[in-house]
Amino acid sequence: MPIRVLLADDQTLVRASFAMLVASAGDMEVVAEAGTGRQAVDLARSERADLVVMDIRMPDLDGIEATRLIAADEDLAGVKVLVLTTYDTDEHIVDALRAGASGFLVKDIRPAELLDAIRTVATGDSLLSPGPTSRLIARFLRAPDTAMSAVGGPDGLSERERQVLTLVARGFNNTEIAEALGLSPLTSKTHVSRIMGKLGARDRAQLVIVAYESGLVIPGAV
């Protein structure tokens, strides 16, 4: 089954360009386009998209609030959100990740990178753009002793799970985690899944958030 993609951007030309690119891939299709955040939420519900490519700055309802509404809707539990931004130093990206986005992209990426990113986020296999994401979180995240987000802290994790969570926060994929800890890729994937279950995290992006908010990973150490 192709990945069902919803494109949300207030610039018609940007949407058209992305739509042509997505349509050129054999494993995905554009099911709808939205010009406002409110439209994005409504279309995510009506068109049953697998993934929303969401611009942060949109009229009516910005991309962060639209992401929050999608993430909070139990009927849309399987929908992933990939946030678009003009600059990779935009502090709003962290807000979007907290709201439930699974990753972010800078708009000037190469076409192949966008398609790869959609595939990556749609499968939930790994956090997109771990380097820039980690730098942003390290720069803008609240101090570890402030209130946690909806995701729980790392209490209750085993020592091995804490090691895995640390590597997830540093941008390692399952194969890299396995190599670093002397595990099989399947065992690594199992650890990540159990950690998400224990912390109530939707995906690896939220694991990165909780690793920084809890102080498990220290800003600047990545």
Short mmCIF file of all heavy atoms in Angstrom, two decimals, residues 97 104 127 129-139 168-171 208 212 219-220 222:
data_model
loop_
_atom_site.label_atom_id
_atom_site.label_comp_id
_atom_site.label_asym_id
_atom_site.label_seq_id
_atom_site.Cartn_x
_atom_site.Cartn_y
_atom_site.Cartn_z
N LEU A 97 7.88 19.39 18.07
CA LEU A 97 8.22 18.04 18.52
C LEU A 97 7.47 17.72 19.82
O LEU A 97 6.98 16.61 20.00
CB LEU A 97 9.72 17.91 18.73
CG LEU A 97 10.58 17.95 17.46
CD1 LEU A 97 12.06 17.94 17.81
CD2 LEU A 97 10.25 16.79 16.54
N PHE A 104 11.52 16.87 11.57
CA PHE A 104 11.38 18.10 10.81
C PHE A 104 12.32 18.11 9.61
O PHE A 104 13.30 17.37 9.55
CB PHE A 104 11.65 19.33 11.69
CG PHE A 104 13.11 19.59 11.94
CD1 PHE A 104 13.83 20.44 11.11
CD2 PHE A 104 13.76 18.99 13.01
CE1 PHE A 104 15.18 20.68 11.34
CE2 PHE A 104 15.09 19.23 13.25
CZ PHE A 104 15.81 20.07 12.41
N LEU A 127 14.32 8.73 14.08
CA LEU A 127 14.09 10.17 14.12
C LEU A 127 14.78 10.83 12.94
O LEU A 127 15.94 10.58 12.66
CB LEU A 127 14.64 10.75 15.42
CG LEU A 127 14.56 12.28 15.56
CD1 LEU A 127 13.11 12.72 15.62
CD2 LEU A 127 15.31 12.73 16.81
N SER A 129 16.64 13.65 10.74
CA SER A 129 17.62 14.71 10.94
C SER A 129 18.10 14.78 12.39
O SER A 129 17.95 15.80 13.06
CB SER A 129 17.04 16.07 10.53
OG SER A 129 16.66 16.06 9.19
N PRO A 130 18.67 13.71 12.92
CA PRO A 130 19.01 13.68 14.35
C PRO A 130 20.01 14.75 14.76
O PRO A 130 19.91 15.28 15.86
CB PRO A 130 19.61 12.28 14.54
CG PRO A 130 20.03 11.85 13.19
CD PRO A 130 19.05 12.45 12.24
N GLY A 131 20.97 15.10 13.89
CA GLY A 131 21.95 16.11 14.26
C GLY A 131 21.33 17.47 14.52
O GLY A 131 21.41 18.01 15.62
N PRO A 132 20.64 18.05 13.51
CA PRO A 132 19.98 19.33 13.74
C PRO A 132 18.94 19.28 14.84
O PRO A 132 18.81 20.22 15.63
CB PRO A 132 19.33 19.62 12.38
CG PRO A 132 20.15 18.88 11.40
CD PRO A 132 20.56 17.62 12.11
N THR A 133 18.19 18.18 14.94
CA THR A 133 17.18 18.07 15.98
C THR A 133 17.82 18.13 17.36
O THR A 133 17.36 18.85 18.25
CB THR A 133 16.39 16.76 15.83
OG1 THR A 133 15.77 16.74 14.55
CG2 THR A 133 15.32 16.64 16.90
N SER A 134 18.90 17.39 17.55
CA SER A 134 19.57 17.39 18.84
C SER A 134 20.12 18.76 19.19
O SER A 134 20.05 19.20 20.33
CB SER A 134 20.69 16.34 18.84
OG SER A 134 20.16 15.05 18.66
N ARG A 135 20.68 19.43 18.20
CA ARG A 135 21.22 20.77 18.46
C ARG A 135 20.11 21.73 18.89
O ARG A 135 20.29 22.52 19.81
CB ARG A 135 21.93 21.31 17.22
CG ARG A 135 23.23 20.61 16.88
CD ARG A 135 24.08 21.44 15.94
NE ARG A 135 23.38 21.75 14.71
CZ ARG A 135 23.40 20.96 13.62
NH1 ARG A 135 24.05 19.82 13.66
NH2 ARG A 135 22.76 21.30 12.53
N LEU A 136 18.97 21.65 18.20
CA LEU A 136 17.87 22.53 18.54
C LEU A 136 17.33 22.25 19.93
O LEU A 136 17.08 23.16 20.72
CB LEU A 136 16.75 22.37 17.51
CG LEU A 136 16.98 23.11 16.19
CD1 LEU A 136 16.02 22.60 15.14
CD2 LEU A 136 16.82 24.60 16.38
N ILE A 137 17.16 20.98 20.24
CA ILE A 137 16.64 20.63 21.56
C ILE A 137 17.61 21.08 22.64
O ILE A 137 17.23 21.62 23.67
CB ILE A 137 16.38 19.12 21.64
CG1 ILE A 137 15.22 18.75 20.71
CG2 ILE A 137 16.06 18.69 23.06
CD1 ILE A 137 14.99 17.27 20.57
N ALA A 138 18.90 20.87 22.39
CA ALA A 138 19.90 21.29 23.36
C ALA A 138 19.87 22.79 23.58
O ALA A 138 20.11 23.29 24.69
CB ALA A 138 21.30 20.87 22.89
N ARG A 139 19.54 23.54 22.55
CA ARG A 139 19.56 25.00 22.65
C ARG A 139 18.31 25.57 23.29
O ARG A 139 18.37 26.50 24.08
CB ARG A 139 19.73 25.60 21.24
CG ARG A 139 19.76 27.12 21.23
CD ARG A 139 19.99 27.64 19.82
NE ARG A 139 19.95 29.09 19.77
CZ ARG A 139 20.02 29.79 18.65
NH1 ARG A 139 20.14 29.17 17.50
NH2 ARG A 139 19.97 31.10 18.68
N VAL A 168 19.47 6.85 21.32
CA VAL A 168 18.38 7.36 20.49
C VAL A 168 18.42 8.89 20.46
O VAL A 168 18.28 9.52 19.42
CB VAL A 168 17.01 6.87 21.02
CG1 VAL A 168 15.87 7.63 20.34
CG2 VAL A 168 16.85 5.38 20.79
N ALA A 169 18.63 9.50 21.64
CA ALA A 169 18.67 10.96 21.74
C ALA A 169 19.85 11.54 20.97
O ALA A 169 19.81 12.70 20.55
CB ALA A 169 18.75 11.39 23.20
N ARG A 170 20.89 10.75 20.77
CA ARG A 170 22.05 11.21 20.03
C ARG A 170 21.95 10.92 18.54
O ARG A 170 22.91 11.14 17.80
CB ARG A 170 23.31 10.58 20.61
CG ARG A 170 23.63 11.12 22.01
CD ARG A 170 24.80 10.44 22.66
NE ARG A 170 25.09 11.08 23.95
CZ ARG A 170 25.92 10.60 24.85
NH1 ARG A 170 26.56 9.45 24.62
NH2 ARG A 170 26.12 11.24 25.99
N GLY A 171 20.79 10.42 18.11
CA GLY A 171 20.55 10.26 16.69
C GLY A 171 20.88 8.90 16.12
O GLY A 171 20.85 8.72 14.91
N VAL A 208 13.60 11.54 22.28
CA VAL A 208 14.66 12.55 22.32
C VAL A 208 14.29 13.66 23.30
O VAL A 208 15.10 14.10 24.11
CB VAL A 208 14.93 13.14 20.92
CG1 VAL A 208 15.92 14.29 20.99
CG2 VAL A 208 15.46 12.05 19.99
N TYR A 212 16.31 14.65 26.98
CA TYR A 212 16.88 15.96 27.32
C TYR A 212 16.17 16.56 28.53
O TYR A 212 16.82 17.13 29.42
CB TYR A 212 16.76 16.92 26.13
CG TYR A 212 17.90 16.78 25.15
CD1 TYR A 212 17.77 15.97 24.03
CD2 TYR A 212 19.10 17.46 25.35
CE1 TYR A 212 18.82 15.84 23.12
CE2 TYR A 212 20.15 17.33 24.46
CZ TYR A 212 20.00 16.52 23.35
OH TYR A 212 21.03 16.39 22.46
N PRO A 219 22.63 18.87 27.35
CA PRO A 219 22.82 19.74 26.20
C PRO A 219 24.29 20.05 25.97
O PRO A 219 25.03 20.37 26.90
CB PRO A 219 22.03 21.00 26.58
CG PRO A 219 20.97 20.48 27.49
CD PRO A 219 21.62 19.39 28.29
N GLY A 220 24.71 19.93 24.70
CA GLY A 220 26.09 20.20 24.36
C GLY A 220 26.94 18.95 24.33
O GLY A 220 28.07 18.96 23.84
N VAL A 222 26.11 16.19 22.69
CA VAL A 222 25.91 15.46 21.45
C VAL A 222 26.84 16.01 20.40
O VAL A 222 26.92 17.20 20.23
CB VAL A 222 24.44 15.56 21.02
CG1 VAL A 222 24.26 14.88 19.67
CG2 VAL A 222 23.55 14.94 22.05
#
